[in-house]
Amino acid sequence: MAKNADQPLTLTGVSKRWPRADAPVLDGIDLAVAPGTGVAIIGANGAGKTTLLRIAAGLLAPERGSVHLGDLDAQANRTAYQRRVGFLSAASAGLYARLSVRAHLRFWSRLALMGGSEREHACGRVMHALALDELADRRVDRLSMGQRQRVRLAGAFVHDPAIVLLDEPGNSLDEEGLDLLAAEAGRVLERDGAVVWCAPSGDRLPVQVDVQLRLQAGQLVAA
Amino acid sequence: MRPALRAHAAATLAVVERDARLFLSYRLRPLMLLVGPVTTVTLFYYVSRLLNPAALGSADGYFAYVVIGVVALGVLTAALGTTPVALRQELVAGTFERLVLSPFGAIRGLTAMMVFPVVQALFVATFTVIYAALVFGMEISWPDALLAGPAALLGAIAFAPFGLLTIAGVMLVKQALGGVSILLTAMSIFAGVYFPVALLPDALRWVSEVQPFTPALDLLRGLVSSAPTTSEPWLDVAKLVGFTLVLFPLSLWALARSLDISRRRGTIIEY
């Protein structure tokens, strides 16, 4: 069951400026993601989508503004916040080449502070959901890029988060992979969780999208 | 055990298990791990045959002195230098992000990353002493030597704050590893790895008193061999505990600050 899935993700007045940049990449962003909502954020390369998602995940701290999930502050209540958030970064990094798929998921589920029996169940469930069962004991450097992306996605979903933040999750996925991702995101939404999906364009979003926003010039506007 | 504590213990073990799996995934690595100590001990045995140092009694006394120095330096290197290097690799591979974004967290994760290298170093230390005893007849003081394991572990814990400070340095400037080599070399000189600190000029002797490597070496030498020591074992233990109590909270605070600064700067996963 997704944890505290009935709490909204709220970004209030979030600003971020990179050193020596003329303008802030994010300029007073306000965003509220209600439970059960799928949000797509689109924008050109360099618009700040990844920065926004990293701040929402608690990976980066904003210069101004705050990020909350319910009453949990992303920076001040880090342990509780991270239990409820799943995050997939863009690109294809973040895997240990010489570890198997199963070893990755066991590792991540233990970092998520899940209980013993809960861990085994969660790892089995997410491997099955993303069609990784047959690859479970294979080293990830012997997987295709699409298969590796499914392993990375499994890491974002394994601890059954209330909100999932996905940065260009469709990278390298074939049609079957996209369907599996959509089903897994749909499962979060069904449980009154939320999904935020970033992509350069909104042409090909296989997941349920209730709100589509565009990030441009540091501001979020309706797409 | 409370569930939260059990979950944290499981996460710590997960980091150790990951490091062990990655280490053992290269089949020759365990063997290569032992080549260095065997070479060093063999080299110093024959060097010791050329010497008759008054400060250490005999050639055998010098050999025992330097063997304990070398194994302790191995533990120090593991506690101080291995995890910062591993952190650099994690940053390059993009795997550090998952640790930062886990409920277990970056501070606990990085601290847990120090466990496997230290355990490995303690294993190598044990092997090295046994090798020196069996092959070159190094005299071992039984049964006191049995306390060397806990003593080395205490030493490793006392060294750990320096490792945490180095990790904090890597977080901030991404290139603190050159400093590790300098620090290890300085420690080996001022703590007496290869020669007694009594031989140092008076103006430099104070350096040997303000870091935990000197009492750790002294304690190990007193327990394992008949090499002369400079203070009582209880005093060495007290110094190590004192260094740990003072430096550990300080280094954890520094690491937390470095992570906060990196989050604000946006450089936490940069390399």
Side-chain angles (χ1 to χ4, degrees):
Chain A
M1 179 72 181
K3 299 168 186 77
N4 286 21
D6 56 347
Q7 296 183 331
L9 174 73
T10 315
L11 281 71
T12 309
V14 167
S15 295
K16 187 79 182 175
R17 180 193 293 268
W18 294 114
R20 292 180 286 280
D22 294 333
V25 64
L26 304 175
D27 191 6
I29 297 276
D30 292 317
L31 174 67
V33 181
T37 307
V39 176
I41 298 174
I42 59 173
N45 296 149
K49 304 184 295 297
T50 293
T51 303
L52 179 65
L53 227 54
R54 284 175 174 173
I55 288 174
L59 187 61
L60 304 184
E63 271 166 33
R64 286 196 307 279
S66 62
V67 179
H68 285 85
L69 184 63
D71 55 0
L72 296 174
D73 184 282
Q75 299 297 328
N77 311 108
R78 202 165 283 139
T79 301
Y81 187 86
Q82 296 302 341
R83 278 178 186 269
R84 292 158 176 79
V85 175
F87 178 71
L88 177 86
S89 60
S92 58
L95 299 173
Y96 298 96
R98 299 177 74 88
L99 288 190
S100 69
V101 174
R102 193 191 307 279
H104 273 90
L105 288 167
R106 284 186 172 160
F107 176 59
W108 291 332
S109 64
R110 283 156 91 182
L111 291 185
L113 304 179
M114 299 172 83
S117 56
E118 187 191 7
R119 277 199 308 266
E120 284 306 305
H121 174 75
C123 293
R125 188 203 68 76
V126 79
M127 278 197 287
H128 183 69
L130 291 163
L132 292 166
D133 301 283
E134 289 184 8
L135 306 172
D137 295 313
R138 196 179 294 179
R139 271 170 36 177
V140 298
D141 59 355
R142 293 172 182 167
L143 300 180
S144 72
M145 293 305 286
Q147 289 167 335
R148 289 182 205 187
Q149 181 71 345
R150 279 191 272 142
V151 178
R152 297 175 74 244
L153 281 165
F157 287 101
V158 69
H159 56 298
D160 217 358
I163 183 155
V164 185
L165 307 167
L166 303 169
D167 196 354
E168 303 194 25
N171 284 352
S172 303
L173 292 181
D174 56 16
E175 289 302 322
E176 185 199 351
L178 287 170
D179 289 344
L180 294 170
L181 166 58
E184 195 59 6
R187 182 179 167 276
V188 174
L189 294 171
E190 277 171 21
R191 292 170 182 268
D192 244 358
V195 176
V196 179
W197 179 306
C198 280
S201 78
D203 296 341
R204 197 160 169 259
L205 298 174
V207 72
Q208 170 196 324
V209 174
D210 303 294
V211 180
Q212 187 160 317
L213 302 166
R214 177 179 295 279
L215 184 59
Q216 58 185 31
Q219 301 283 336
L220 273 179
V221 297
Chain B
M1 198 189 293
R2 288 164 47 204
L5 195 60
R6 201 161 48 226
H8 279 85
T12 303
L13 283 176
V15 175
V16 177
E17 186 184 315
R18 175 206 63 182
D19 293 342
R21 279 178 186 274
L22 290 172
F23 176 78
L24 293 171
S25 72
Y26 296 93
R27 288 176 195 159
L28 281 179
R29 262 195 188 173
L31 188 63
M32 298 310 290
L33 192 67
L34 304 178
V35 171
V38 165
T39 310
T40 306
V41 166
T42 305
L43 176 73
F44 273 104
Y45 175 76
Y46 289 108
V47 169
S48 72
R49 298 304 97 181
L50 302 172
L51 306 172
N52 192 14
L56 297 168
S58 64
D60 286 341
Y62 178 72
F63 178 61
Y65 183 92
V66 88
V67 165
I68 303 302
V70 166
V71 299
L73 186 62
V75 178
L76 175 67
T77 305
L80 207 155
T82 308
T83 307
V85 172
L87 170 60
R88 281 278 307 155
Q89 290 169 346
E90 293 251 344
L91 287 167
V92 172
T95 46
F96 184 60
E97 177 184 280
R98 188 74 69 176
L99 200 60
V100 176
L101 289 176
S102 72
F104 189 51
I107 294 177
R108 285 179 285 247
L110 287 165
T111 308
M113 281 170 65
M114 300 178 84
V115 175
F116 179 73
V118 168
V119 170
Q120 194 182 57
L122 291 174
F123 167 77
V124 172
T126 306
F127 167 82
T128 306
V129 171
I130 291 171
Y131 172 76
L134 292 180
V135 177
F136 297 112
M138 188 180 102
E139 203 172 311
I140 294 181
S141 308
W142 298 104
D144 288 357
L146 293 174
L147 293 172
L153 188 60
L154 177 62
I157 293 169
F159 306 152
F162 293 92
L164 293 172
L165 289 170
T166 312
I167 292 168
V170 171
M171 284 313 311
L172 288 177
V173 297
K174 312 297 178 190
Q175 285 294 333
L177 303 182
V180 171
S181 302
I182 294 169
L183 192 58
L184 286 171
T185 306
M187 288 271 211
S188 69
I189 292 171
F190 291 110
V193 169
Y194 304 107
F195 57 86
V197 292
L199 299 178
L200 288 170
D202 289 345
L204 295 176
R205 290 274 301 278
W206 64 271
V207 182
S208 71
E209 299 296 328
V210 296
Q211 38 78 21
F213 197 34
T214 308
L217 269 176
D218 207 45
L219 181 62
L220 284 172
R221 282 183 176 129
L223 290 171
V224 177
S225 71
S226 53
T229 57
T230 54
S231 62
E232 294 295 319
W234 68 266
L235 187 57
D236 292 326
V237 171
K239 284 179 183 174
L240 289 172
V241 171
F243 276 119
T244 304
L245 291 177
V246 172
L247 293 177
F248 225 109
L250 194 68
S251 59
L252 285 174
W253 174 83
L255 180 57
R257 283 284 298 147
S258 72
L259 287 162
D260 285 342
I261 291 169
S262 305
R263 276 193 179 89
R264 280 205 305 278
R265 284 183 185 164
T267 57
I268 193 162
I269 54 169
E270 289 182 358
Y271 52 91

